[in-house]
Amino acid sequence: MWRTGRVLRLRLTATGEASLCSSKPANPSLSPSPQSNSSPRSQADKQRRRRQREDAILSNAHSTAEEEAVGWSEKQTMVYAAQTPPGTKKDARSPFPSSYCPQYVESSWYQWWEKEGFFPERPNVSMYCLCSAPSHSGTFALCLPPPNVTGTLHLGHALTVAVEDALVRWRRMQGYRVLWVPGCDHAGIATQTVVERRLLRDRGKRRQDFTRKQFLREVWKWKEETGEEIYHQLRRLGASLDWSRACFTMDPAFSRAVTEAFVRLSDSGLIYRSEALVNWSCALGSAISDIEVDSKELSGRTMLSVPGYDEEVEFGSLLTFAYPLEGHDGEVAVSTTRPETMLGDVAIAVHPDDPRYQCVHGKQCRHPFTNRALPIITDAMVDMELGTGAVKVTPAHDHTDFLLSQRHSLPRVTVIGGDGTMTPPLKRFDARQLIVDALVEKGLFRGKKTHPMTLPVCSRSGDIIEPLLKKQWFVRCDEMAEKAIQAVEDKQLEIIPHYHTKTWNNWLSNISDWCISRQLWWGHQIPAYQVVFPNATDKQEELWVWGQTEDDARHRAAVKYGVKPEDVTLTQDPDVLDTWFSSGLFPFAMLGWPEQTNDLQRFYPSSILETGSDLLFFWVARMVMLGTELTGQLPFKQVLLHSMVRDKHGRKMSKSLGNVIDPLDVIHGVSLEVGIPGLVHEANILKEGNLDPRERLVAMGSKDFPKGIPQCGTDALRFALCSHKMQGEDISLSISEVLSCRHFCNKMWQTLRFTLGVLGDNTTPVGTLEEVHSLDRWICSRLYSTVVECERALEAYELHAVTSALYSFWVHSLCDVYVEHMKPALVLPDTQVAPSILYHCVSTSLALLSPFMPFITEELWQRLPRAAAHSALCLQPYPRSAHWHFPVEEKDFLLVQEVIRVARSLRAQCAMTKEKPASESFNGSKGSR
């Protein structure tokens, strides 16, 4: 019974053998994720698709096409010297390089933006905006989902930054009062694990060799050494965050907010202490949250490495044994993948209407090793159509069995300790074979067979999760969940895309109480204190109080129990709070709550929460519940969920698979001589954890970058990420897509070089278009239509539609049609209208692209003749649709544009295959096309 919330049944096969299968959870709230409710067919399809991906990787069937697409040369990595002191504005009057280079373009701009104060809620715009931005009374506030302080950002984080920064820059250019707050999460388990490993490696010491205070000093030291790496990555990605408000979840002000939240929720009865089953990692010695449990699908018998064991442990085997009926002939056979837990069996359950077991109702079996009486109970949650219909009940080590024990008042016998031992020093998986041998000796063993199963694995330690019965602190979630559901139904909270609403309702309707205590040292120590009175006996019931400080708790205890404060002895709970508890307070704690600060009054609730769809329950739902309960308001008005970024094979990015990509490797490029930090499959990484032999081969065989990664730049990476439809299927990003966007940057670069060449000193603005060439009216009308599409798509958060419209206008309309066909008129010395229209189209397009590609658009815009010495594109008004719509011309030239687009596509294909075009009609001079 591995998977949380799943009832494991017995099913008779054609040969009469029993096999274990997994039915729909009796209580969906126990499931770690909605995926656990998937049908067998969908699970089989998942396994089939996964195996197909692995086969493709192992056969290298994908490599040729990808290598062709990612062809790159040293010319693309040329560096142009830019002598710009940090924080000063780059000189746009410097010579215009002949080709685009990301390193040259993206240098210096961010330092200038930040130094001049463009990112706070009230940017210093008076001298940097050519014309005043449109006045707007609205605010636009959001927080960046705080990444863990333990490491570096990956491409999933880069997508979040690209999306949020595009929205932030767009709203800022519209004149909104924008607040975008950066932050970092202390990541309790992950950080403590990293520091413990470091201390063991460097000093040969374990955590227990230090006092708690000494160990925490080591964690803070590590944090100060490595904590700025994430902020460096965010700056390099161009994130226009208000750094003056950077927030760390262990900062003193944030810690006060966490304490306040715990005390208020405890006072209202929403936090309580109880004994219940939790997901326990024996390697960490702590309970962990559902989000930190990975579900590992096994197709059958598999040998896996487990922390603390010298030899691999067998999983995916189904063992059947019998319990003889007490005082009667016959037996009840049960099957299990965890025979060691049978020492904790306290009952056998059958369905009350199952005709096979009518004669054994109320009877019992006798446990062969403990001599414990095992009553045969009846319960409708047992599915009599699945197998024999009899299941063993182990309440202290299985979530579903724990529910049965509550309903039938069964005892809960713990047979596995928190350190993973049965009877010290006998470990749980070493005891497994001893149990089987003893069953064989007693003649009760009935067989063993391979069996597919889902194995819960600790994502932090690689340990196999053990459900254990522990006294912990819990949050009551049912009433808060009802409010969260109602908020969506009443349209006070909008979830985008809307199809996530059904999942939201299903999950919250079946939510269970939330275990918030962790047996760690790094984190917010729980502000609860155990009370002991003078002359207390060991059998005294646990008494607890809580408070803002120990003195506050002592006063509360004196009032509650009617004693003098000096007669109270308090001991603070050594556990810390779940990281998700503190991060759930982020939207209002970052603004100074519980103090009624100006920021809180002005920017709370936030305008929107944008994050990955995988955090809908573990973070978003908890923010909504805690925010509503503690502030009386929803923390935000909209939730925008983007899909997960996967590698080009469709696999989730994982360190164990060696496919995690650091966005800086894509931005700067990495050659094979230097090595790709995020993609090197070091032997120790692959050998640690629980990779089966096939997965290890897949990881070693996934050589996605045989030539290294070319230097693509931030703008290309951001544009590529935003070009995917976020509100749909997961994003499988390949480097060839990013490189293609870099080629688009070069197209923009060459277009501006040509534009500056034909402009000269012409700064005449565009006037009336009634008497000009039809092609002039057409390109202005196309620009108008593009602006309209950008307005619509940005309001709907469809960023892929914006990038598509802007790319199409620049490449297919402006370059392929207008520039190519108007080139003779553009280069005439006395021409006025055409260069002005070209200037208008280029400058407007740069402003439209600025939120997505902030570096190259700033660089190119600064070189335009009308840009003032101190102006900044990122503070100019965002273009609005106003005039110049000529639908007749747009319709007339639509076919021309399409023909040219197809012709260029054919040319590109012919160039790749080194063949001549089938038609020579496009081989003449440019003017004849």
Side-chain angles (χ1 to χ4, degrees):
M1 303 189 196
W2 278 115
R3 188 73 176 250
T4 305
R6 290 197 168 196
V7 185
L8 301 179
R9 316 293 189 193
L10 289 168
R11 179 174 60 197
L12 287 178
T13 63
T15 59
E17 295 178 330
S19 65
L20 200 59
C21 64
S22 180
S23 73
K24 183 177 179 181
N27 185 350
S29 66
L30 294 176
S31 300
S33 66
Q35 283 74 18
S36 62
N37 292 336
S38 301
S39 65
R41 181 175 180 179
S42 64
Q43 289 292 335
D45 289 342
K46 260 188 206 177
Q47 291 295 322
R48 177 179 53 79
R49 290 193 298 269
R50 176 187 173 191
R51 187 163 288 269
Q52 287 175 345
R53 287 196 300 266
E54 293 175 350
D55 290 340
I57 294 170
L58 292 173
S59 64
N60 289 320
H62 62 283
S63 59
T64 303
E66 183 70 9
E67 289 179 29
E68 290 287 340
V70 190
W72 56 290
S73 64
E74 287 300 319
K75 180 179 179 181
Q76 292 174 305
T77 58
M78 290 176 61
V79 177
Y80 303 97
Q83 302 299 328
T84 305
T88 60
K89 185 179 179 182
K90 189 189 295 186
D91 185 4
R93 295 169 296 178
S94 60
F96 205 148
S98 60
S99 62
Y100 166 73
C101 174
Q103 185 172 341
Y104 169 74
V105 169
E106 296 173 7
S107 64
S108 304
W109 288 120
Y110 193 92
Q111 293 89 332
W112 178 60
W113 293 331
E114 185 177 355
K115 182 176 181 294
E116 294 300 329
F118 292 169
F119 302 155
E121 53 163 310
R122 288 188 179 275
N124 183 14
V125 301
S126 57
M127 61 183 296
Y128 295 105
C129 193
L130 287 177
C131 50
S132 60
S135 58
H136 203 290
S137 60
T139 61
F140 186 74
L142 72 162
C143 64
L144 180 74
N148 289 350
V149 72
T150 50
T152 58
L153 305 182
H154 53 66
L155 285 184
H157 297 109
L159 173 62
T160 299
V161 172
V163 171
E164 293 187 14
D165 195 43
L167 296 176
V168 161
R169 289 176 179 269
W170 164 57
R171 288 301 192 192
R172 190 180 288 128
M173 293 174 75
Q174 285 188 317
Y176 279 73
R177 196 171 180 179
V178 173
L179 180 67
W180 189 25
V181 179
C184 230
D185 193 280
H186 65 277
I189 292 177
T191 299
Q192 180 162 315
T193 301
V194 168
V195 175
E196 285 194 60
R197 287 176 178 172
R198 182 182 182 184
L199 291 172
L200 185 61
R201 182 190 68 234
D202 297 345
R203 304 192 205 173
K205 290 187 176 182
R206 300 183 181 275
R207 170 167 55 104
Q208 292 75 11
D209 297 326
F210 299 85
T211 65
R212 182 171 187 148
K213 187 175 182 180
Q214 290 172 333
F215 179 77
L216 292 179
R217 192 179 300 123
E218 293 293 331
V219 180
W220 277 107
K221 181 180 177 182
W222 174 86
K223 188 267 178 185
E224 296 303 321
E225 293 174 357
T226 62
E228 289 299 316
E229 176 60 24
I230 288 175
Y231 287 168
H232 167 70
Q233 286 181 297
L234 290 172
R235 287 180 167 93
R236 194 63 192 84
L237 285 165
S240 56
L241 292 150
D242 185 351
W243 293 106
S244 66
R245 287 179 167 86
C247 181
F248 180 50
T249 53
M250 288 291 289
D251 286 340
F254 203 102
S255 295
R256 286 195 295 273
V258 172
T259 299
E260 178 72 21
F262 184 92
V263 171
R264 287 194 189 185
L265 294 173
S266 298
D267 286 343
S268 62
L270 290 175
I271 288 181
Y272 65 95
R273 184 172 175 84
S274 177
E275 185 178 58
L277 273 190
V278 296
N279 295 318
W280 188 268
S281 170
C282 299
L284 295 175
S286 174
I288 63 174
S289 65
D290 292 339
I291 190 66
E292 289 150 341
V293 178
D294 293 335
S295 296
K296 187 176 186 60
E297 303 290 340
L298 302 183
S299 58
R301 182 179 180 274
T302 306
M303 304 299 294
L304 297 176
S305 298
V306 178
Y309 292 81
D310 295 331
E311 298 181 357
E312 291 185 327
V313 179
E314 177 184 322
F315 297 94
S317 294
L318 188 69
L319 295 92
T320 303
F321 66 94
Y323 278 124
L325 286 170
E326 176 92 337
H328 301 79
D329 292 335
E331 64 184 33
V332 179
V334 294
S335 296
T336 180
T337 57
R338 307 172 62 205
E340 66 276 10
T341 64
M342 62 88 64
L343 294 177
D345 287 356
V346 296
I348 298 171
V350 297
H351 194 283
D353 299 330
D354 193 332
R356 295 167 294 180
Y357 296 101
Q358 294 295 319
C359 61
V360 298
H361 289 185
K363 294 183 171 56
Q364 63 184 25
C365 298
R366 183 68 58 179
H367 200 290
F369 303 129
T370 66
N371 202 37
R372 185 183 304 120
L374 305 180
I376 300 176
I377 62 173
T378 61
D379 198 290
M381 70 184 299
V382 179
D383 191 342
M384 60 182 176
E385 295 183 1
L386 290 176
T388 63
V391 294
K392 61 191 285 295
V393 182
T394 319
H397 296 282
D398 182 85
H399 291 277
T400 302
D401 293 357
F402 182 79
L403 291 178
L404 282 171
S405 72
Q406 291 179 314
R407 294 166 63 156
H408 297 273
S409 301
L410 297 174
R412 300 156 189 167
V413 180
T414 299
V415 294
I416 300 176
D419 59 354
T421 61
M422 304 285 286
T423 302
L426 182 61
K427 299 177 183 178
R428 52 182 168 155
F429 297 130
D430 291 338
R432 176 174 292 181
Q433 188 58 48
L434 297 179
I435 296 291
V436 173
D437 292 343
L439 288 170
V440 171
E441 183 178 343
K442 288 182 174 290
L444 299 175
F445 188 69
R446 297 294 179 263
K448 171 183 173 182
K449 60 188 293 187
T450 186
H451 180 71
M453 65 178 296
T454 300
L455 196 63
V457 178
C458 175
S459 62
R460 304 301 181 185
S461 65
D463 192 19
I464 308 302
I465 294 301
E466 188 67 47
L468 287 186
L469 199 60
K470 295 285 184 179
K471 286 186 177 181
Q472 305 283 287
W473 294 95
F474 292 85
V475 176
R476 301 184 197 276
C477 295
D478 49 357
E479 292 184 6
M480 291 191 292
E482 288 179 10
K483 295 178 183 178
I485 294 173
Q486 195 63 42
V488 174
E489 291 180 352
D490 294 343
K491 303 189 183 306
Q492 298 175 7
L493 176 65
E494 181 183 15
I495 300 178
I496 307 170
H498 295 147
Y499 61 77
H500 284 294
T501 300
K502 182 178 180 181
T503 312
W504 171 271
N505 292 339
N506 288 341
W507 190 79
L508 288 173
S509 296
N510 297 285
I511 194 171
S512 57
D513 288 352
W514 170 19
C515 174
I516 57 172
S517 45
R518 300 289 178 266
Q519 290 64 50
L520 305 171
W521 285 356
W522 172 245
H524 298 102
Q525 189 171 354
I526 296 176
Y529 302 80
Q530 189 169 4
V531 181
V532 177
F533 298 114
N535 304 320
T537 64
D538 294 338
K539 295 182 179 180
Q540 175 183 317
E541 179 186 357
E542 282 191 1
L543 304 176
W544 290 87
V545 293
W546 43 83
Q548 302 285 351
T549 62
E550 184 173 339
D551 287 341
D552 180 31
R554 189 181 307 279
H555 175 73
R556 286 168 172 258
V559 172
K560 183 177 181 178
Y561 298 110
V563 298
K564 296 179 180 179
E566 56 268 24
D567 292 337
V568 177
T569 300
L570 298 181
T571 303
Q572 187 173 0
D573 192 329
D575 291 353
V576 300
L577 288 165
D578 179 14
T579 300
W580 294 105
F581 183 86
S582 53
S583 62
L585 311 177
F586 206 88
F588 46 97
M590 73 177 186
L591 300 174
W593 184 91
E595 303 298 328
Q596 291 301 310
T597 63
N598 291 333
D599 281 351
L600 190 66
Q601 295 173 14
R602 185 180 301 122
F603 294 109
Y604 187 83
S606 301
S607 306
I608 190 172
L609 187 281
E610 195 281 335
T611 189
S613 57
D614 56 323
L615 294 180
L616 179 61
F617 313 118
F618 305 114
W619 189 43
V620 179
R622 286 167 180 172
M623 281 189 288
V624 170
M625 291 191 294
L626 292 176
T628 305
E629 184 65 32
L630 293 170
T631 71
Q633 293 178 284
L634 290 167
F636 28 74
K637 304 167 187 175
Q638 292 179 310
V639 178
L640 176 61
L641 302 171
H642 65 246
S643 304
M644 291 184 64
V645 178
R646 299 180 178 270
D647 68 10
K648 66 178 183 178
H649 309 291
R651 300 175 303 165
K652 181 179 179 180
M653 291 190 176
S654 162
K655 289 181 180 178
S656 63
L657 294 179
N659 61 352
V660 175
I661 301 177
D662 186 332
L664 296 191
D665 289 340
V666 181
I667 291 171
H668 300 305
V670 181
S671 66
L672 290 184
E673 288 75 15
V674 176
I676 305 173
L679 296 166
V680 175
H681 305 292
E682 297 181 6
N684 61 327
I685 294 178
L686 293 177
K687 288 179 181 178
E688 290 179 357
N690 291 307
L691 287 183
D692 62 30
R694 178 179 173 84
E695 285 180 330
R696 198 169 285 126
L697 285 174
V698 170
M700 295 298 294
S702 179
K703 300 175 181 178
D704 291 347
F705 308 98
K707 297 181 181 179
I709 298 180
Q711 182 189 110
C712 295
T714 300
D715 290 318
L717 175 59
R718 288 174 52 141
F719 198 79
L721 288 167
C722 290
S723 295
H724 283 268
K725 186 176 182 180
M726 301 180 303
Q727 303 169 23
E729 296 182 355
D730 290 343
I731 298 172
S732 295
L733 186 73
S734 67
I735 299 300
S736 61
E737 294 178 58
V738 186
L739 190 59
S740 176
C741 292
R742 182 199 152 132
H743 295 330
F744 175 49
C745 292
N746 190 60
K747 186 79 170 179
M748 296 168 60
W749 189 265
Q750 301 304 333
T751 303
L752 196 83
R753 290 186 75 233
F754 173 78
T755 301
L756 293 179
V758 302
L759 279 177
D761 298 328
N762 181 7
T763 57
T764 305
V766 178
T768 178
L769 298 178
E770 298 304 326
E771 302 299 328
V772 299
H773 194 282
S774 61
L775 191 58
D776 293 325
R777 291 199 300 274
W778 171 78
I779 193 63
C780 287
S781 188
R782 281 290 300 119
L783 179 60
Y784 166 88
S785 298
T786 302
V787 173
V788 170
E789 175 61 17
C790 290
E791 290 175 340
R792 184 206 65 78
L794 281 168
E795 291 290 349
Y797 306 124
E798 296 175 352
L799 302 193
H800 67 286
V802 182
T803 57
S804 177
L806 293 173
Y807 178 89
S808 178
F809 174 78
W810 193 294
V811 174
H812 301 311
S813 300
L814 184 61
C815 294
D816 287 355
V817 178
Y818 186 75
V819 171
E820 288 294 333
H821 287 75
M822 291 296 290
K823 188 173 290 185
L826 288 166
V827 298
L828 292 176
D830 57 348
T831 302
Q832 295 293 329
V833 175
S836 296
I837 290 176
L838 179 60
Y839 176 94
H840 172 70
C841 291
V842 169
S843 61
T844 303
S845 297
L846 290 175
L848 291 169
L849 282 162
S850 178
F852 300 90
M853 311 172 85
F855 293 104
I856 189 173
T857 53
E858 188 76 65
E859 175 83 24
L860 296 179
W861 192 83
Q862 293 288 347
R863 293 180 179 273
L864 292 174
R866 294 180 201 162
H870 296 286
S871 60
L873 173 61
C874 62
L875 296 181
Q876 302 308 307
Y878 199 75
R880 292 179 292 175
S881 56
H883 53 289
W884 294 337
H885 186 206
F886 303 99
V888 175
E889 280 80 358
E890 282 208 51
K891 182 178 180 181
D892 289 345
F893 281 90
L894 182 62
L895 180 59
V896 175
Q897 178 178 322
E898 183 63 18
V899 169
I900 293 175
R901 188 191 66 78
V902 173
R904 286 194 178 276
S905 178
L906 290 173
R907 281 178 176 275
Q909 293 178 18
C910 293
M912 290 183 64
T913 58
K914 298 181 180 180
E915 295 178 358
K916 293 183 178 180
S919 172
E920 297 295 329
S921 60
F922 295 95
N923 289 342
S925 64
K926 292 182 180 178
S928 66
R929 287 187 297 205

